[in-house]
Amino acid sequence: MLKITRSVVDAVKIPVTVKTRLGWDENNKIIVTLAEQLQDCGIAALAIHGRTRSQMYKGDADWTLIGEVKNNPRMHIPIIGNGDVTTPERAKECFERYGVDAVMIGRGAIGRPWIFEEINYFFENGERKAPYPFGWQVDILKEHVLRSIEWIGDERKGIVHSRRHLAATPVFKGIADFRQTRIAMLRAEMLDELFGIIDGVVAEHENSQK
Ligand SMILES: Cc1cc2nc3c(=O)[nH]c(=O)nc-3n(C[C@H](O)[C@H](O)[C@H](O)COP(=O)(O)O)c2cc1C
């Protein structure tokens, strides 16, 4: 890993950053030493996911060692903490308790890309932003599907690619008897069908609010 990092740093003129985990497994959490060695390779910043490789996604992310890396007096590059940040409150706690320079968010943004704005709002105002209107959230999801299609250049593939977001989004949480609609939404392969289902959900939701 160090050899690869050194080679990349030497080969390019732009800043190189590394993202890695705590180590290979429970008995090899080498990140504190590894971070120093990576820094010595000349990287510009280090992102750390608070799990080991063998852990995959099991258990909670352990931020203690991320904090140790950050608080190591030998370290001077920015440290980006990662793992299980899904709320503005947790983001704040990670900054305050572990002193990291930034937090990185993965799964928390799936189906909820506005999480970054929510966190910024929380940091600036000390309280949560009022929930975004249902229709606004749905519009963002639809835009996401459209951009996915545009990016991939194929309607069906773009929809399949964005299914993960539709499946994980909190937007439809709490809607009564949503199961069948959800299944249909995640099976739809063409835009007309998918947006027809989603628009039906919005219409029903609006009716229920009257
Ligand atoms: C769909 C998906 C794709 C990912 N792709 C990468 C990747 O290409 N490189 C990487 O270092 N981590 C990747 N990860 C891991 C995340 O960057 C992150 O380290 C991990 O999900 C823990 O953060 P989280 O709890 O905020 O999700 C991916 C995660 C997900 C869910």
Side-chain angles (χ1 to χ4, degrees), residues 54-86:
S54 66
Q55 213 181 335
M56 310 290 274
Y57 275 102
K58 285 196 281 290
D60 294 330
D62 173 6
W63 276 70
T64 322
L65 285 175
I66 299 176
E68 258 185 55
V69 172
K70 177 61 205 174
N71 293 313
N72 176 354
R74 266 218 66 217
M75 295 301 295
H76 55 78
I77 56 171
I79 301 300
I80 303 154
N82 169 241
D84 300 345
V85 177
T86 55

Side-chain angles (χ1 to χ4, degrees), residues 19 49 51 57 82-85 104-108 110 164:
K19 169 159 177 280
H49 176 190
R51 288 187 176 85
Y57 275 102
N82 169 241
D84 300 345
V85 177
M104 177 183 280
I105 295 175
R107 292 164 299 168
I110 297 179
R164 175 194 291 270

Side-chain angles (χ1 to χ4, degrees), residues 149-163:
I149 292 171
E150 194 184 310
W151 179 55
I152 290 175
D154 180 272
E155 187 170 335
R156 197 188 145 275
K157 284 186 188 155
I159 288 173
V160 170
H161 190 82
S162 54
R163 272 187 194 151

Side-chain angles (χ1 to χ4, degrees), residues 103-149:
V103 299
M104 177 183 280
I105 295 175
R107 292 164 299 168
I110 297 179
R112 188 182 162 193
W114 47 87
I115 189 172
F116 305 101
E117 194 180 73
E118 286 181 312
I119 290 175
N120 277 342
Y121 183 94
F122 185 76
F123 282 15
E124 279 160 22
N125 300 282
E127 60 178 18
R128 277 206 183 209
K129 193 174 167 67
Y132 296 103
F134 180 75
W136 181 90
Q137 295 185 31
V138 172
D139 283 347
I140 299 278
L141 289 183
K142 285 168 76 176
E143 190 185 330
H144 197 154
V145 176
L146 289 173
R147 287 207 198 175
S148 176
I149 292 171

